[in-house]
Amino acid sequence: HVLTFEMSLIHAIPQTLFGIFFEDINHAVDGGLYAELIRNGSFEHIFSLEGWALELCEESIEVSVDTSNPIHPNNKNYVRVRSDDPNAEIVLINLGYTASPIRGGIPIKAGEAYNLSFFVRTVGFTGEVSVYLENRRGEKYAESLVRISEQIDDWMRISLELVPKVTFSNSHFVMRIKGQGELHLDMISLIPKNTWHNMRTDLINVLKDLKPGFFRFPGGCLVEGDSLSNAYRWKDTIGPIEERKPNRNLWGYHQSYGIGFYEYLLLAEYLGAEPVPIFNAGISCQVRGAEYCPVDELDEWIQDVLDFLEFANGPTDTYWGSIRAQLGHPETFNVKYIGIGNENWGDQYHERFKLFHTAIKEKYPEVKIVFSGPPSYEGSNFRYAMRWAKENDVEIFDEHIYASPEWLLANTERYDRYDRTGPRIMLGEYAAHAPGRQNNWQAALAEAAFLTGVVRNSDVVIMASYAPLFNRIGFSQWVPDLIWFDSASFFLTPSYFVQKLYADHTGDYLIPSEITNEDLVLIGYRYKAIYHVCTYNSKSNEITVFLVNPWPDDKSVKIQLPENIRTRKEINLIRLCGSLTDINNFDDYAIVPVHEKIISNSCGSFDFIAKGYSFNVLKIGLE
Ligand code: AHR
């Protein structure tokens, strides 16, 4: 094979091209990025004592979940302990997110500080509450005691610090209550001191390493709800945690909203990514039998979006702008993109989209509005949606592609055929689903090949993100995923490294390139022998050649340099390579980037071997 390229610029590559899609699926937030270690400390889960074990030490003590006088109407449940005997004891034990005896529980580190807090109220109670972390054998790691002798009429927050002496991955949190009278407890929380806005720093760092150009949130199907009653409403998710209105999400578990819209905006800002919040279009999940908000009642949903834009972008003398300032961010977030709907389609969606569009553009003409594509990226629903989008001057169309590796390899030219006068594309969700939906090298290699077509067509495709992002082992609803984690550690999948190599090395311009290629026809699909794309980075004066060999045999490629250029002698190669079934794991990475140097003769050409099953990034510095 001979690969040639030219030093002319075809089009600029958008800074937004590679991003992150964030959804609370697979416990990405609760039990995940949200660093809260107590599961269901608010007792708001459908099973109000989920996550808790109770040990009643005496019969004269009663425990119930009460709702009669909560901290806030959004946070209805609390625990009521009643005892007639001053020596009676009850023990509340929280197991954290325990998936198995090995993975789960509450991880603690020796010498690190943990903020413990809870709300308490009493009715004639005198006694004590002792709090500690312990292992299965009942050995204590950190302990503190609160004595209560005076009446606490109104809910009062008690805050303490626990500093364990040992490191232990699977501890339990214990609250031992002894005394007489009535004690009410709520919002029991244990969060490591070393977090960023209550988020796990290890997980934030791996997101930062992806250098995301955009950050789409908070879903996904999550936004839609299985009915409109549990659709995602951003106003439920801001303010003091005890006043947020938790919700059971469409993925079947409880969201505390400890990370809500404000934190998402902070995170996008920290990551240097354009926020792309997605709002419900007044339609619940269509795949699960849609509930449509009647058009004449849609104002409330539209107003939510307008209020959000005031919250994110409005001056501090507006109502919502002042709330942003009170939360600690007087500067605007400068949100440039929002999406209306997720995986919606059909006339009912179009009618509602138009109403949102008109109202938003009237007040915020500069904000770009993303239109949702249907779940299937092929077929009549897709064609109808695209036709409507074109006829109605939709700015950005959100496509989701979950396909077999074979499909992705055979469709790298999908965007070559796109009508340049139509909407830009946000490939808001993509992933290869290999047999068994394994996060293996076969899937990642096909994604690497497909992304050559995305980069080549980045005049049309302006955003692309893998989905889903996170998987908490033992608490997942969907595989494959980009990053897997447990209570204390994580591992990165081959797909993560593919996306990171693109994010790190795609230049700011596409340049023309060609390869003498053979087309292979196998089991009905047409493939290429080698997939490639070339970009130029004007800041570092470098050409990047992305080359994918998805076949078992090594392929020799002569890289023919343009006549008028001289390159640096050393060419940097970053390669991902393995067998198709290779996967990464907590302590064993089969697929990791390997760095090599190739010596070229600075002009003319040089030979390169693209190993079997490899993704290669060649960085050619120009003199
Ligand atoms: O990424 C998982 C789900 O896939 C998303 O919630 C949804 O948009 C798609 O169907």
Side-chain angles (χ1 to χ4, degrees), residues 21 23 25 216 219-222 224 250-251 287 342-343 375 400 402 429 467-469 478:
F21 164 50
E23 175 170 32
I25 180 174
R216 175 176 177 251
C221 296
L222 179 93
E224 304 164 76
L250 170 138
W251 300 110
V287 179
N342 175 70
E343 296 193 345
H400 297 173
Y402 295 104
E429 300 177 27
L469 182 68
W478 184 296

Side-chain angles (χ1 to χ4, degrees), residues 101-119:
I102 310 159
R103 297 223 171 272
I106 296 177
I108 48 173
K109 280 198 190 138
E112 288 209 358
Y114 293 80
N115 292 327
L116 172 70
S117 65
F118 50 94
F119 278 80

Side-chain angles (χ1 to χ4, degrees), residues 87-157:
N87 292 315
E89 282 191 347
I90 179 169
V91 182
L92 301 178
I93 304 168
N94 196 281
L95 310 178
Y97 288 82
T98 301
S100 72
I102 310 159
R103 297 223 171 272
I106 296 177
I108 48 173
K109 280 198 190 138
E112 288 209 358
Y114 293 80
N115 292 327
L116 172 70
S117 65
F118 50 94
F119 278 80
V120 69
R121 186 175 57 191
T122 62
V123 185
F125 181 87
T126 42
E128 58 190 40
V129 179
S130 96
V131 284
Y132 50 90
L133 292 151
E134 68 169 21
N135 69 9
R136 276 159 198 280
R137 291 190 298 280
E139 289 159 340
K140 294 178 189 169
Y141 295 128
E143 191 172 9
S144 198
L145 187 74
V146 179
R147 283 188 219 286
I148 300 173
S149 51
E150 282 170 24
Q151 179 83 357
I152 306 172
D153 288 325
D154 291 325
W155 285 106
M156 182 176 98
R157 187 199 292 269

